[in-house]
Amino acid sequence: MAQRIELLPEHVANQIAAGEVVQRPASVVKELLENALDAGATDIQLIVREGGKTLIQVVDNGAGMDRTDAELSIVRHATSKIRKAEDLFQIHTMGFRGEALASIAAIARLELQTRNGDEALGTHLKIAGGTLESVQETVVPQGTSIQVKNLFFNIPARRNFLKSSKIEYRHVLEEFQRVALAHPGISFKLFHNDSEIFNIPESKLRRRIGHLFGSRMNDRLVPIEEETQVVKVEGFICKPEFAKKGRGMQFFFVNNRYIKSSYLHHAVMNAYEGLLRPDTVPGYFIFLHVPADSIDINIHPTKTEIKFENEQSVYAILRAAVKHSLGQFNIRPVLDFEANQNLETPYNLRHMSAQLPQVEVDRNFNPFREEATPSIQRKDSYKASGDSWTALYEGLGEGQYQEGAKTHWIVESDAPSEGLFDEGAMDALADVASFQVDRKFILTRVKSGLLLIDQQRAHQRVLYEQFLENISLKEPVSQTLLFPMKLPFDRGDLEILTEMNESMKALGFAMEEGSDGDVIISALPVLIPDAEVGGVLEELLTNWKQQLGTEGFSEADRMARLLSRALSIRPGRVLDTASRQALINDLFACKDPDRSPFNKKIHTTFGVDELEKKLQ
Ligand code: ADP
Ligand code: MG
């Protein structure tokens, strides 16, 4: 078989943007994975130890190399992928500099085992610091395995620059995700420190996103699709209510190559305008396909930046495509995340004093001439104060009053809509006797009979609304701890905590990952007593994992629910008179005092007639 690798002519080599290929373990991962893809692999395994600092290994079932190619592969500017300068502008493969393996071999211990389909035996090379130490024949399956050990072992300065294994691992993981997303048709495995992190079969993009980021992603994705002469756009975008604070799941791929582009990101953000809560960024997995000669991917040595010939058109088309998907799938503005609750008023409005909107009316208007239609429908009654109330026009009903030339519309107040208690009873409630039944229910008297309240559900409702209120405030009410708490968690839990971190922050938590898998908590929502934090977090994690009864809600909402469950008083807890009254008061000050956040009935009344019947 003819040698496939040739040295690039010097001038071509010089045309290639200079730059270090290897900055950290993740850069090695990227190069090795891309080589495996270029070799036509359909199954790729990535094995790393200590975030890649001690070991990075990629095993593929691709074409493999013969002995000569294998030896050449570690020579700078040896590549089988381009031959002449013009080829630089027609790049379809991932690697094209022919310098990755050479660079890696120069700064680590590298072992390469490979066999191509034509040969019975494979080749095993050992290289350290750029020096070929041994070449052996070996029995291996077709494909290539490259092991990179002790990165920067011969450059202590660079080695010391590496971050903790945890941080390096995060970068490795990101690289893995990018490659796996771009190639859903290929199966991947990832092992870290001997534990299997991912084992993902070949699938369609949607499922691949689920494999990588959790199956709940499925409900959050909206497909995006647009094809024009300039660019073809496809992939998925996330519904706006799942947008998160800070960057997270934002992926652009151009011709299947992951790229960073603040310009394209801007186009997407622009399309979401008006749909996002402040400071949140939606996730997206967007694939752009353009003719290979209309882009220049060679402007940055790590190849994550790109220049389009038709930049402005790409921007406009991308924005239109995102807008179209958001519109087509009927994604309405969700500035308010509690949208599907019967909680229509944003909580922070509750802290503002009510102002009556002023409406100018045509005083010559005579409603008796035409059909008069009352424009405000109100369900409960209210008392209009004093003299200003003049119902001038029957047809306009009681929703407004006249003052000078102006008609004031009276807007429904925040008063509890239940007419459960006697007039004025809300204030006087403290005087009404209440009893605890079975340490589970509170029984009290109301105007029409007896009211039975489930104490835990009531408390859940109260806490839930308080948490929501806290979230909707710009600055969540939180207490900074004098002595930050250190709580140990295992790796899996840590990942979930990281996932929850944004919503936790919104609630008033301040936590960060400590050195050894500890979580350091420096501030808490005021609603959570210090002593309860550990237990609350444990319970939160368990419920979060099980997605208990919270499907389809925003993350913040879900968090508020779970916290309300975790903190609520349990059956069996004795409540003194004051606590019972406070709970009843708080419950009926809630927007929805009837149902718990988990949609369970909170209270019921036994009418006097019902009681009478029972005694017949
Ligand atoms: P580039 O990918 O830019 O060509 P590299 O230094 O990454 O440069 O690789 C050099 C050459 O080694 C590649 O062109 C390819 O021919 C060969 N090679 C590297 N990795 C593999 C692999 N996993 N399978 C088959 N061939 C490989
Ligand atoms: Mg390469």
Side-chain angles (χ1 to χ4, degrees):
M1 186 183 154
Q3 286 178 21
R4 296 185 299 126
I5 302 184
E6 291 170 23
L7 290 179
L8 281 177
E10 195 61 31
H11 68 283
V12 178
N14 294 339
Q15 268 184 313
I16 299 176
E20 274 295 341
V21 181
V22 184
Q23 288 128 8
R24 59 181 352 148
S27 359
V28 174
V29 166
K30 174 181 160 73
E31 296 297 333
L32 297 185
L33 289 177
E34 291 186 346
N35 280 348
L37 292 167
D38 285 345
T42 57
D43 184 77
I44 299 176
Q45 296 180 45
L46 169 62
I47 300 149
V48 289
R49 282 215 190 100
E50 293 178 50
K53 291 200 281 190
T54 52
L55 173 75
I56 302 161
Q57 181 174 15
V58 170
V59 184
D60 69 56
N61 65 349
M65 292 174 267
D66 61 22
R67 181 177 177 144
T68 323
D69 276 359
E71 284 179 30
L72 258 176
S73 71
I74 50 158
V75 177
R76 193 165 293 269
H77 300 307
T79 177
S80 54
K81 296 166 195 172
I82 43 175
R83 295 285 181 247
K84 50 188 194 308
E86 294 87 272
D87 287 348
L88 273 178
F89 301 99
Q90 281 285 355
I91 288 161
H92 298 280
T93 50
M94 293 291 167
F96 55 87
R97 293 161 192 285
E99 60 186 56
L101 281 189
S103 311
I104 296 165
I107 47 132
R109 297 182 200 282
L110 189 145
E111 282 193 45
L112 186 159
Q113 287 174 278
T114 183
R115 181 171 74 81
N116 75 14
D118 300 335
E119 319 225 310
L121 282 177
T123 311
H124 186 169
L125 299 184
K126 287 186 185 167
I127 305 111
T131 317
L132 184 60
E133 289 185 330
S134 75
V135 186
Q136 287 168 338
E137 290 194 320
T138 179
V139 179
V140 283
Q142 183 186 328
T144 304
S145 155
I146 297 181
Q147 264 192 350
V148 177
K149 286 186 193 159
N150 303 334
L151 198 62
F152 299 130
F153 79 101
N154 52 353
I155 318 176
R158 295 286 303 274
R159 184 163 183 89
N160 293 338
F161 246 111
L162 292 176
K163 298 278 189 322
S164 69
S165 299
K166 202 163 264 172
I167 292 178
E168 295 301 343
Y169 172 65
R170 206 172 299 149
H171 287 279
V172 167
L173 189 64
E174 266 171 28
E175 212 56 68
F176 177 83
Q177 287 168 342
R178 293 167 184 172
V179 173
L181 279 172
H183 302 89
I186 292 173
S187 55
F188 286 92
K189 285 200 188 79
L190 169 62
F191 297 87
H192 186 218
N193 294 340
D194 298 321
S195 54
E196 186 181 272
I197 310 289
F198 286 111
N199 181 350
I200 44 183
E202 60 161 302
S203 57
K204 290 271 190 308
L205 177 61
R206 194 179 187 118
R207 292 208 55 207
R208 169 92 5 140
I209 294 172
H211 282 133
L212 288 168
F213 300 102
S215 53
R216 68 189 172 285
M217 287 303 292
N218 196 37
D219 303 331
R220 304 183 177 183
L221 298 175
V222 177
I224 166 174
E225 205 167 356
E226 187 72 67
E227 187 157 7
T228 68
Q229 303 245 289
V230 180
V231 60
K232 180 179 169 200
V233 182
E234 60 182 353
F236 294 92
I237 56 177
C238 288
K239 295 177 188 169
E241 64 264 42
F242 299 109
K244 297 192 175 146
K245 297 219 165 147
R247 296 290 197 94
M249 289 184 291
Q250 288 81 33
F251 295 90
F252 282 119
F253 300 89
V254 174
N255 295 355
N256 265 9
R257 187 189 293 271
Y258 171 82
I259 58 133
K260 289 187 184 126
S261 168
S262 47
Y263 186 66
L264 295 182
H265 177 72
H266 191 270
V268 173
M269 290 306 281
N270 193 302
Y272 272 88
E273 209 172 85
L275 299 176
L276 298 171
R277 276 174 285 137
D279 306 321
T280 59
V281 188
Y284 53 76
F285 308 85
I286 298 177
F287 290 72
L288 305 173
H289 303 277
V290 294
D293 59 2
S294 76
I295 46 169
D296 181 359
I297 35 177
N298 201 20
I299 58 170
H300 191 274
T302 53
K303 297 175 286 182
T304 52
E305 278 163 34
I306 198 166
K307 192 148 179 47
F308 294 93
E309 198 176 81
N310 253 321
E311 215 169 47
Q312 283 163 14
S313 323
V314 174
Y315 182 100
I317 294 162
L318 176 61
R319 186 183 55 185
V322 174
K323 275 198 161 170
H324 181 75
S325 291
L326 290 174
Q328 189 180 6
F329 293 90
N330 230 340
I331 288 152
R332 60 206 179 80
V334 227
L335 293 169
D336 223 18
F337 40 81
E338 60 268 34
N340 78 343
Q341 294 293 22
N342 16 9
L343 314 167
E344 321 83 2
T345 321
Y347 275 79
N348 43 3
L349 294 187
R350 275 178 38 185
H351 295 288
M352 297 160 127
S353 53
Q355 279 193 347
L356 299 173
Q358 309 205 317
V359 181
E360 298 282 349
V361 292
D362 175 6
R363 283 194 287 158
N364 297 322
F365 172 64
N366 183 346
F368 298 109
R369 249 183 249 141
E370 293 153 40
E371 285 268 64
T373 27
S375 23
I376 291 189
Q377 299 272 321
R378 291 172 60 259
K379 56 177 193 290
D380 65 332
S381 61
Y382 63 92
K383 289 185 208 76
S385 56
D387 315 331
S388 58
W389 172 257
T390 345
L392 282 181
Y393 303 114
E394 254 180 55
L396 289 176
E398 50 179 13
Q400 51 167 232
Y401 66 94
Q402 199 75 22
E403 188 185 88
K406 285 175 179 154
T407 298
H408 297 271
W409 291 93
I410 293 164
V411 177
E412 213 177 311
S413 76
D414 228 352
S417 51
E418 295 285 296
L420 212 50
F421 298 95
D422 288 315
E423 301 266 335
M426 292 308 291
D427 299 330
L429 247 186
D431 301 324
V432 177
S434 67
F435 305 92
Q436 211 179 2
V437 181
D438 206 13
R439 294 184 181 177
K440 199 174 174 189
F441 301 109
I442 298 170
L443 188 67
T444 186
R445 213 185 76 77
V446 288
K447 69 177 169 200
S448 54
L450 290 175
L451 172 70
L452 188 71
I453 302 171
D454 182 309
Q455 66 185 45
Q456 181 175 19
R457 291 176 189 174
H459 196 214
Q460 282 177 352
R461 166 52 63 182
V462 169
L463 288 168
Y464 169 66
E465 295 205 7
Q466 284 173 344
F467 276 119
L468 277 188
E469 185 171 357
N470 213 13
I471 293 168
S472 67
L473 297 175
K474 276 254 162 55
E475 290 294 335
V477 193
S478 80
Q479 56 177 130
T480 306
L481 299 175
L482 212 49
F483 303 102
M485 288 182 209
K486 231 176 160 188
L487 300 170
F489 284 100
D490 69 34
R491 200 181 50 79
D493 286 345
L494 272 176
E495 300 218 356
I496 300 171
L497 278 175
T498 317
E499 196 179 296
M500 303 192 303
N501 201 14
E502 284 312 316
S503 338
M504 307 273 286
K505 249 194 258 166
L507 281 165
F509 277 103
M511 33 181 235
E512 52 172 9
E513 226 175 88
S515 44
D516 291 301
D518 284 337
V519 168
I520 297 166
I521 300 175
S522 52
L524 288 177
V526 277
L527 295 166
I528 301 183
D530 307 20
E532 309 256 22
V533 191
V536 165
L537 285 180
E538 283 295 340
E539 189 166 351
L540 211 54
L541 280 168
T542 325
N543 289 330
W544 187 272
K545 279 183 229 167
Q546 298 169 357
Q547 312 242 331
L548 273 179
T550 53
E551 256 91 288
F553 293 99
S554 75
E555 214 124 294
D557 194 276
R558 189 172 156 200
M559 185 69 73
R561 272 158 214 272
L562 294 181
L563 278 173
S564 77
R565 180 199 292 263
L567 282 168
S568 57
I569 44 170
R570 306 294 144 120
R573 186 71 177 266
V574 178
L575 296 177
D576 60 26
T577 317
S579 309
R580 292 196 300 268
Q581 295 306 339
L583 183 57
I584 298 173
N585 283 337
D586 286 349
L587 175 65
F588 288 98
C590 280
K591 289 190 156 275
D592 182 7
D594 300 339
R595 298 247 147 209
S596 84
F598 301 92
N599 205 23
K600 296 259 170 56
K601 208 169 167 183
I602 295 176
H603 59 83
T604 184
T605 34
F606 301 95
V608 176
D609 42 0
E610 240 179 300
L611 296 174
E612 271 166 2
K613 240 186 249 156
K614 288 218 182 292
L615 293 172
Q616 269 164 15

